[in-house]
Amino acid sequence: MEKVSGYVEHIIYRNEENGYTVMVLVCDGEEVTCVGTLQSAAEGELIEAEGGYTEHSTYGRQFQISSYEYKTPEDELSIERYLGSGAVKGVGMALAARIVRRFKGDTFRIIEEEPERLAEVKGISERKAREIAQQMEEKRDMRKAMLFLQQYGISTALAMKIYNQYGASLYQIVRENPYKLADDIAGVGFKAADEIASRVGIHTDSDFRIKSGLLYVLAQAMTEGHVYLPQPELMRRASELLGVSLEAMEALLPDLAIERKIVIKDVPGAGQGSDGEEVRVPGVYSASNYYLELNTAKMLHDLNISAEISEEAVQRRLEQIEQETGTKLEELQKEAAAAAVSHGLLVITGGPGTGKTTTINALIHYFASEGLEILLAAPTGRAAKRMTEATGYGAQTIHRLLEVSGAVEESSAHTHFERNMQNPLEADVIIIDEMSMVDIFLMHALLSAVTPGTRLIMVGDVNQLPSVGPGCVLKDIIESERFPVVRLTKIFRQASESDIVVNAHKINSGEHVVLDNKSRDFFFLKRDEANIIIRVVLALVQQKLPKYVDAKPYDIQVLTPMRKGLLGVERLNTILQQYLNPPAPDKREREHAGGVFREGDKVMQIKNNYQAEWEIRGKYGIAVEKGVGIFNGDMGIVREINTYAEMLTVEFDEGRFVDYSFKQLEELELAYAVTIHKSQGSEYPAVVIPLLAGPRMLMNRNLLYTAVTRARKCVTLVGSAEVFYQMIDNRFEQKRYSTLKERICEWNV
């Protein structure tokens, strides 16, 4: 470990979010380029740093800082340099020179103990003297806080967040209840707080620790799609995490309820009691989740306004639409149209080929002829694009419809939308497609921006996989039986000619599909070894399918049930990248997390980033439209890797360009192959599905049905026919703890 000591001459770059800094340090008259996490270091500061020299491929020799400490400038030249560096607002080099000329080596003591004497210097009023002293005190307090927090293993970036949140009270909070950090500071979870607590010396059976652990378990359950946990399940999970007694945990649940951090309410249990009554158990919700469901249920009821409409007039108008568009509506489609006209809220559900799009088109024609303002939206960019192509009417993502803002709401980790109760959507009719993908958070945000009197029509396939986020919104709304629901069941003649559609319905009903490859769009290639399956997949994607469906290899999507394993996403992407986008002299690369991103790669955003800025570029690369927000599941192509600026540029759907710093690359992954879960809401010209044995809870009918219905022109399964039939027979669906249905049914109608 080497040491360097000197003053900060110039800060070249600083990431304000994490404190990563590139700067020039003057050490004994020699300039040294240093890199490291130094959130609060300013030009003119005197620091002593430990670390080592490294050789950067572009920038040459650098000193990589692993730890550092501030030194108080002692000689007059160093004091003058620090004060005049800009570290103290309102003090330039000339004024700094006058201050040091007046007070010499005693300057810092004067500022700290007798700040009013600064007014003796020409150009400094008493007010300015106080301001200079206050700034110096704040910087001293910040440095003291940084040193205090670093002794507990807290990174500089996190230390800055803690300091900004609590100020001088951070000492008491960290020593007495570091678990408060997990409640108050975004990015600090229970485990980070628990590690700090162990270093502070807080006991494992501390009330603070148990409460924080219980809340952490509830938060983690949301990542599995749960809105709440039954109390026995919460206790089981928390016991594994905390290693404390059941009695100690149960004793603190009432305290959390009194503090309004949780809500405990009886929920449906498994099975029935001896008297035939439904068994109910206590369910534990985070308070925000409980009221999210409750308010969602209320807003759904508020929208469900009936109107007296002449059925004959509706039917006459539908007949006119049939003549104008050259389409023939069947009875259920007409029923859906009539329900949409006479109700404020409507659900239309059905599988592939049952005429959902035709029904949407008929509704658009109907409402447009009435002069009504119509908005169309879907959860993902790809689904919105499909909706636009199918209707000829502009659709957008729900996030863009609600005008997502880069700001994060203070009271939660969730995003902020400009459209809300105070600024509702200006529309008479709103039609949302792919409703199975909408989670409870997005549903609540959408309903908050819809005023009663606006018609909300929700369209989706309830048999698709549930949303990635928590809840079973579409399923719960339908099963509540409190709102109009039209189920489209008839497969239309044109769709019935597609074996993709026919076989999807067979899979959904548990019927075995004949695998004789006599179809034009549904193929099964029987192979039993993973490496042979991969070779077949490569041949299909590279050579056979692009010609067959008139598409580029980029448009052919490989879908797989799993992330890990011989046919998992991670291994498949490495191999597919090697063949579909091999290294080339004209393609720049960037190594990341054991893999490589290369110009031309197909990639996917794997987390919601509400602050990410995008722009649509016109001629000569000039931005013609800008916005914020890139979301989990968005797919694009790596267009440029700039090693000098350490930036990677991705072009997403709709021509949206996003720049990523190399430190943000954990938000991206290769997408030549994606999990079936991640493919929700998307449609591809052709999909290839490798199938071998996997976990029974994953390899189920629901997953297979979703995968098959992602293909527009051709689906090819490669692998074991036995596994294929086992998935059809396996009706297992992981239980989601959601009670939107119960909240809906509680409202009197």
Side-chain angles (χ1 to χ4, degrees):
M1 194 74 76
E2 298 178 77
K3 280 188 178 182
V4 294
S5 182
Y7 68 89
V8 180
E9 168 73 9
H10 175 54
I11 291 178
I12 300 169
Y13 168 79
R14 170 170 288 148
N15 183 322
E16 297 297 340
E17 183 68 26
N18 57 26
Y20 178 77
T21 303
V22 181
M23 65 185 183
V24 175
L25 202 67
V26 176
C27 308
D28 299 325
E30 181 185 346
E31 292 188 352
V32 178
T33 301
C34 299
V35 296
T37 302
L38 301 91
Q39 185 92 39
S40 59
E43 291 178 357
E45 302 261 28
L46 187 65
I47 67 169
E48 184 176 271
E50 284 192 350
Y53 285 97
T54 60
E55 195 70 31
H56 191 280
S57 57
T58 304
Y59 305 113
R61 194 166 187 250
Q62 298 178 335
F63 189 82
Q64 187 80 42
I65 296 173
S66 57
S67 64
Y68 69 97
E69 61 179 311
Y70 294 100
K71 296 290 185 180
T72 302
E74 294 175 352
D75 63 278
E76 291 178 21
L77 182 62
S78 296
I79 295 170
E80 184 179 322
R81 183 182 287 125
Y82 172 71
L83 289 176
S85 67
V88 180
K89 190 178 177 183
V91 179
M93 288 302 298
L95 185 55
R98 291 202 297 274
I99 294 171
V100 175
R101 207 163 39 240
R102 176 74 180 82
F103 300 115
K104 298 187 170 46
D106 207 24
T107 297
F108 282 150
R109 188 195 67 76
I110 293 291
I111 293 173
E112 185 176 340
E113 297 177 9
E114 303 176 75
E116 67 279 357
R117 288 190 59 194
L118 289 173
E120 297 172 15
V121 177
K122 184 182 177 183
I124 300 180
S125 64
E126 288 187 12
R127 179 182 172 186
K128 189 164 188 173
R130 286 194 299 272
E131 288 175 354
I132 292 170
Q134 186 178 351
Q135 285 187 66
M136 292 290 285
E137 185 179 357
E138 286 172 357
K139 286 184 174 292
R140 190 171 59 253
D141 290 346
M142 184 190 295
R143 287 179 189 152
K144 181 183 171 187
M146 296 294 109
L147 292 171
F148 170 76
L149 293 169
Q150 283 168 7
Q151 70 180 312
Y152 297 117
I154 298 171
S155 69
T156 305
L158 178 54
M160 277 303 299
K161 286 185 178 180
I162 295 170
Y163 179 78
N164 291 335
Q165 177 77 25
Y166 301 121
S169 61
L170 69 85
Y171 302 98
Q172 182 181 0
I173 289 167
V174 169
R175 288 190 183 113
E176 295 180 6
N177 179 20
Y179 297 100
K180 186 170 172 52
L181 305 181
D183 291 342
D184 298 341
I185 300 175
V188 180
F190 168 80
K191 291 190 175 178
D194 204 30
E195 192 174 328
I196 295 166
S198 67
R199 287 178 174 155
V200 172
I202 290 174
H203 294 299
T204 56
D205 60 354
S206 152
D207 285 1
F208 291 132
R209 179 173 185 266
I210 295 172
K211 287 180 184 179
S212 183
L214 289 167
L215 294 173
Y216 171 75
V217 170
L218 287 175
Q220 286 300 106
M222 286 166 55
T223 66
E224 301 169 33
H226 304 308
V227 176
Y228 73 95
L229 285 177
Q231 187 172 316
E233 177 69 7
L234 172 63
M235 293 297 105
R236 184 188 66 77
R237 294 187 183 201
S239 177
E240 290 175 4
L241 174 73
L242 299 169
V244 298
S245 70
L246 185 67
E247 293 75 20
M249 293 186 294
E250 287 182 337
L252 291 173
L253 284 177
D255 290 359
L256 284 170
I258 291 167
E259 292 166 16
R260 298 187 178 182
K261 290 182 177 176
I262 65 169
V263 171
I264 304 172
K265 194 171 178 75
D266 282 353
V267 295
Q272 294 181 329
S274 56
D275 56 359
E277 287 290 316
E278 179 185 59
V279 173
R280 296 185 73 81
V281 298
V284 184
Y285 303 73
S286 67
S288 60
N289 279 7
Y290 175 77
Y291 290 109
L292 205 65
E293 279 197 336
L294 190 67
N295 291 333
T296 297
K298 180 186 183 301
M299 289 187 289
L300 285 167
H301 278 295
D302 289 347
L303 289 177
N304 190 28
I305 301 169
S306 298
E308 292 295 328
I309 303 290
S310 165
E311 287 188 28
E312 291 180 6
V314 173
Q315 294 305 319
R316 281 198 304 272
R317 184 68 196 100
L318 291 175
E319 287 169 10
Q320 287 178 322
I321 290 170
E322 286 177 322
Q323 291 172 2
E324 291 166 6
T325 60
T327 56
K328 180 68 177 171
L329 300 174
E330 63 105 19
E331 284 308 309
L332 283 172
Q333 291 175 314
K334 290 179 181 178
E335 182 186 322
V341 172
S342 58
H343 291 87
L345 191 75
L346 173 67
V347 175
I348 301 172
T349 185
T354 56
K356 294 192 296 295
T357 300
T358 304
T359 307
I360 291 173
N361 277 325
L363 292 173
I364 291 171
H365 278 89
Y366 189 103
F367 291 123
S369 70
E370 300 281 314
L372 301 182
E373 182 71 25
I374 306 165
L375 293 174
L376 305 185
T380 66
R382 281 179 170 257
K385 186 179 178 183
R386 278 173 49 209
M387 200 178 185
T388 299
E389 291 167 352
T391 63
Y393 205 91
Q396 56 193 315
T397 64
I398 299 173
H399 285 87
R400 288 188 75 181
L401 178 76
L402 298 177
E403 298 174 18
V404 64
S405 160
V408 175
E409 294 178 356
E410 292 180 10
S411 58
S412 72
H414 306 298
T415 188
H416 172 76
F417 295 102
E418 297 296 335
R419 294 290 184 172
N420 47 42
M421 284 184 180
Q422 288 72 42
N423 181 28
L425 292 164
E426 295 164 11
D428 301 300
V429 181
I430 299 171
I431 304 176
I432 307 293
D433 199 9
E434 294 288 355
M435 268 297 301
S436 61
M437 296 182 67
V438 176
D439 64 26
I440 190 66
F441 295 117
L442 192 55
M443 189 65 190
H444 185 272
L446 174 65
L447 293 173
S448 297
V450 181
T451 53
T454 301
R455 291 182 176 88
L456 178 63
I457 300 163
M458 297 172 283
V459 184
D461 183 351
V462 75
N463 293 308
Q464 296 283 356
L465 289 168
S467 57
V468 174
C472 299
V473 172
L474 181 62
K475 184 179 178 185
D476 280 354
I477 290 172
I478 292 171
E479 290 186 355
S480 73
E481 298 181 351
R482 295 297 175 93
F483 308 111
V485 176
V486 177
R487 294 174 173 82
L488 302 178
T489 54
K490 180 182 176 181
I491 302 175
F492 284 83
R493 186 179 62 80
Q494 187 178 354
S496 69
E497 294 172 1
S498 163
D499 285 316
I500 295 174
V501 172
V502 171
N503 289 340
H505 283 274
K506 285 182 177 178
I507 290 167
N508 190 44
S509 62
E511 184 181 341
H512 278 208
V513 174
V514 176
L515 304 177
D516 57 9
N517 287 335
K518 291 180 180 178
S519 168
R520 289 179 299 173
D521 60 6
F522 191 98
F523 303 100
F524 198 106
L525 306 180
K526 296 176 183 177
R527 305 290 189 274
D528 293 319
E529 291 182 28
N531 289 336
I532 293 173
I533 289 172
I534 291 172
R535 283 207 296 270
V536 173
V537 168
L538 273 167
L540 288 166
V541 174
Q542 267 188 305
Q543 301 150 20
K544 298 185 177 180
L545 287 174
K547 296 174 186 174
Y548 190 69
V549 298
D550 189 26
K552 298 174 184 176
Y554 171 87
D555 297 317
I556 312 300
Q557 188 61 54
V558 178
L559 302 179
T560 180
M562 295 167 289
R563 288 197 58 81
K564 305 286 186 183
L566 295 175
L567 294 177
V569 162
E570 294 173 7
R571 182 168 186 249
L572 282 172
N573 270 321
T574 303
I575 296 169
L576 289 166
Q577 181 195 41
Q578 183 181 339
Y579 287 92
L580 297 176
N581 189 31
D586 62 337
K587 292 180 182 176
R588 282 167 290 193
E589 299 181 352
R590 171 67 184 181
E591 290 186 15
H592 177 73
V596 171
F597 288 116
R598 186 174 297 131
E599 289 177 340
D601 272 339
K602 183 178 180 179
V603 293
M604 175 183 279
Q605 176 81 9
I606 58 171
K607 61 179 283 192
N608 289 337
N609 185 335
Y610 302 108
Q611 284 80 37
E613 297 178 357
W614 54 260
E615 60 182 31
I616 296 174
R617 297 172 182 172
K619 201 172 181 181
Y620 309 118
I622 297 170
V624 295
E625 185 182 346
K626 293 186 177 183
V628 294
I630 294 294
F631 305 105
N632 190 353
D634 286 353
M635 293 175 75
I637 302 174
V638 177
R639 293 301 187 194
E640 183 184 2
I641 296 176
N642 187 327
T643 52
Y644 180 78
E646 298 196 335
M647 299 291 285
L648 180 148
T649 303
V650 178
E651 181 184 0
F652 287 98
D653 290 333
E654 302 171 312
R656 293 171 299 150
F657 285 82
V658 178
D659 292 329
Y660 292 82
S661 72
F662 285 174
K663 287 189 170 292
Q664 292 177 296
L665 295 185
E666 71 276 357
E667 294 186 16
L668 294 172
E669 69 179 22
L670 295 175
Y672 298 101
V674 302
T675 61
I676 295 165
H677 281 87
K678 289 281 190 184
S679 73
Q680 283 176 272
S682 297
E683 188 178 74
Y684 312 96
V687 300
V688 181
I689 307 167
L691 276 188
L692 274 183
R696 186 176 184 278
M697 63 184 295
L698 185 65
M699 307 291 282
N700 58 34
R701 182 188 300 177
N702 196 210
L703 194 81
L704 183 61
Y705 173 75
T706 300
V708 168
T709 54
R710 298 307 91 205
R712 185 163 63 247
K713 294 181 180 178
C714 178
V715 59
T716 306
L717 297 104
V718 187
S720 165
E722 184 182 356
V723 170
F724 176 74
Y725 288 130
Q726 285 172 355
M727 289 181 77
I728 293 175
D729 293 338
N730 182 10
R731 296 188 62 187
F732 174 86
E733 288 182 42
Q734 189 168 0
K735 168 69 177 171
R736 278 201 170 198
Y737 297 116
S738 161
T739 46
L740 179 59
K741 173 185 171 182
E742 279 70 25
R743 300 290 86 81
I744 290 171
C745 292
E746 284 172 357
W747 286 89
N748 294 320
V749 291

